[in-house]
Amino acid sequence: HKASGVSLCLVIGTLPHPSAFPKSFTMDFVDAVQSCAQDRPLLLVVDSNLVYGQTVAETFSEQGLDLHDCSDPGAFGAPTCCNDSLMGHPESRYQSDRTVLCGGRGAVKDFTVKKDYICNAPEEHLTTRATVKLTEAVPNKHTEDENSPSMRVPFPHIYGFSASIFCLAWCYWICDSCRRRSEEPPDSARPLLNTRPPREP
């Protein structure tokens, strides 16, 4: 990030479904993240396959990766997944899509979820947008998300940049994937996400 001079470790993708745990991360992925995020903030723009209240940091901890000082407002935000019209649930029910910053060098702000689907395709996710603000000052530890009572992070030198481009690119990929799935026969195999009932908050 040119304005702040802070180098980031960026991860974009889909995390394994919790039912695939334990130890569903490959060692190559674990080693790559540990190496990249050793002295850099870690920014994740992911379909986490998680539900309300479950954080991405908890998922990584179960895989042996200790992420500290994570800002993950999507864990307590509006649901993003999915358009399960074929199962009688056109409304989103799970807080799966996340923008998360770990490493104590800033926070995710203005995490928003659009109300309408783009393609109205089966299993489509809602679009998210967020702003990631970086700081050269290291905040106090044990900060979770901007809505948490413990989130009192001093930002004496804040440099903001938008993670929207990452989110939009991710949502474009999701939309294209949903379009391809909509062309499949109705009885085609469905992902594990939709087989698990929503967890009560």
Side-chain angles (χ1 to χ4, degrees):
H1 184 235
K2 292 182 178 180
S4 64
V6 175
S7 295
L8 289 172
C9 179
L10 175 65
V11 175
I12 299 177
T14 301
L15 301 182
H17 192 275
S19 64
F21 296 158
K23 301 301 180 185
S24 57
F25 286 8
T26 66
M27 287 306 302
D28 286 343
F29 177 73
V30 171
D31 291 343
V33 173
Q34 285 180 329
S35 176
C36 181
Q38 185 174 8
D39 54 358
R40 302 179 184 91
L42 174 62
L43 177 61
L44 303 107
V45 183
V46 296
D47 174 0
S48 67
N49 275 316
L50 299 176
V51 298
Y52 185 89
Q54 294 178 317
T55 67
V56 171
E58 290 170 347
T59 295
F60 274 74
S61 177
E62 292 172 357
Q63 301 298 310
L65 282 166
D66 185 18
L67 304 182
H68 63 279
D69 300 324
C70 292
S71 176
D72 186 3
F76 302 95
T80 64
C81 172
C82 313
N83 182 5
D84 285 334
S85 298
L86 297 179
M87 300 176 64
H89 293 283
E91 76 286 355
S92 292
R93 295 178 291 162
Y94 310 109
Q95 286 74 8
S96 297
D97 300 278
R98 308 287 180 87
T99 299
V100 183
L101 183 69
C102 298
R105 300 290 295 275
V108 177
K109 299 286 186 177
D110 304 320
F111 183 87
T112 58
V113 179
K114 284 201 170 184
K115 295 181 179 180
D116 300 315
Y117 298 111
I118 296 175
C119 305
N120 288 314
E123 302 176 21
E124 181 179 351
H125 292 222
L126 292 172
T127 302
T128 65
R129 173 171 290 198
T131 298
V132 177
K133 291 193 173 183
L134 299 175
T135 177
E136 293 178 334
V138 179
N140 296 327
K141 292 188 176 181
H142 308 300
T143 56
E144 288 291 333
D145 61 83
E146 61 178 322
N147 297 320
S148 169
S150 63
M151 186 61 179
R152 300 293 184 266
V153 183
F155 293 107
H157 302 288
I158 293 180
Y159 299 89
F161 79 99
S162 175
S164 301
I165 187 170
F166 304 120
C167 296
L168 291 174
W170 172 243
C171 290
Y172 175 83
W173 182 88
I174 287 290
C175 187
D176 184 62
S177 176
C178 290
R179 179 187 59 79
R180 292 196 301 270
R181 288 180 180 177
S182 66
E183 297 172 354
E184 297 176 354
D187 60 347
S188 59
R190 301 180 61 81
L192 288 173
L193 174 64
N194 297 319
T195 64
R196 186 180 66 176
R199 176 175 296 182
E200 293 294 331

